[in-house]
Amino acid sequence: MIVYIHGFLSSSLSVKAQLTQHWLAAQGREQAWVCPDLPPYPLEAMQILESIVQDAKEPPHLIGSSLGGFYATVLVARFHLKAVVVNPAVHPGLILRPAVGLIKSFYGDQQYEFTQAHLQELHALDLPAPLYPEQILFMQERGDEVLDWQEGLAYYRACHQLVFAGGNHSFSRYSAVLDLMDHFFRD
């Protein structure tokens, strides 16, 4: 099972989620794809993800993008899983301060109230450093216009790393690294 964990206000309809689903289907592994539509509320999102992990027959592999990379890092620490984190959010309780207020999903008309309490939930989940760094592959594009790639590089310094010049927050070469991610999971 590969659990794709989308970013803040994203969904299973995101480009990377869909690319992952189609890539698995092309290999006859469509049943391996799981991508829950997570709420923007951290504790609720983590409850959904932990339930998926606990209900899995075998330990799932995780691909987390942006805030999903943060959640994947927390799940690795709690369940000793393998994860690929793609342009991950580092210390999102700080990054998402400007999001406090009424927010809207990127994929649909749903609106949410994101509060200071939700930032505190993120702070409570935050780790000083990734636990089990050998279980994490950090992938970053330096052209990320949303997150500081150098913070990610420093935070994930003990993990496997692939850092690419150029690109953007969407991780422009995502399709090109799917086989590599799969190899990391199977290794």
Side-chain angles (χ1 to χ4, degrees), residues 32-184:
W33 185 75
V34 175
C35 183
D37 288 318
L38 299 173
Y41 311 127
L43 288 185
E44 287 181 37
M46 282 302 296
Q47 288 171 347
I48 292 166
L49 293 168
E50 287 181 342
S51 176
I52 291 169
V53 170
Q54 291 168 338
D55 292 344
K57 293 178 182 159
E58 296 178 7
H61 298 131
L62 311 174
I63 300 173
S65 175
S66 194
L67 184 61
F70 169 78
Y71 290 146
T73 301
V74 174
L75 291 168
V76 168
R78 292 184 179 178
F79 297 100
H80 201 265
L81 304 171
K82 283 188 114 172
V84 175
V85 294
V86 180
N87 287 353
V90 175
H91 309 304
L94 300 174
I95 296 168
L96 289 175
R97 285 183 294 188
V100 170
L102 193 61
I103 54 176
K104 184 177 178 276
S105 172
F106 296 140
Y107 298 91
D109 296 327
Q110 294 173 299
Q111 291 192 335
Y112 304 92
E113 184 70 28
F114 193 71
T115 68
Q116 190 67 34
H118 297 121
L119 293 177
Q120 292 306 317
E121 292 174 2
L122 289 169
H123 288 305
L125 292 168
D126 212 343
L127 303 167
L131 198 57
Y132 311 119
E134 71 283 357
Q135 297 290 102
I136 297 174
L137 172 58
F138 165 79
M139 299 180 83
Q140 181 76 48
E141 289 186 329
R142 292 189 308 218
D144 189 333
E145 71 283 6
V146 175
L147 301 172
D148 183 346
W149 69 272
Q150 292 174 321
E151 284 184 21
L153 189 65
Y155 182 77
Y156 289 96
R157 67 186 166 274
C159 301
H160 303 278
Q161 295 188 347
L162 280 174
V163 180
F164 298 94
N168 54 45
H169 188 63
S170 295
F171 204 87
S172 61
R173 46 184 64 75
Y174 188 78
S175 291
V177 297
L178 282 164
D179 286 331
L180 180 67
M181 290 183 204
D182 201 37
H183 180 74
F184 173 75

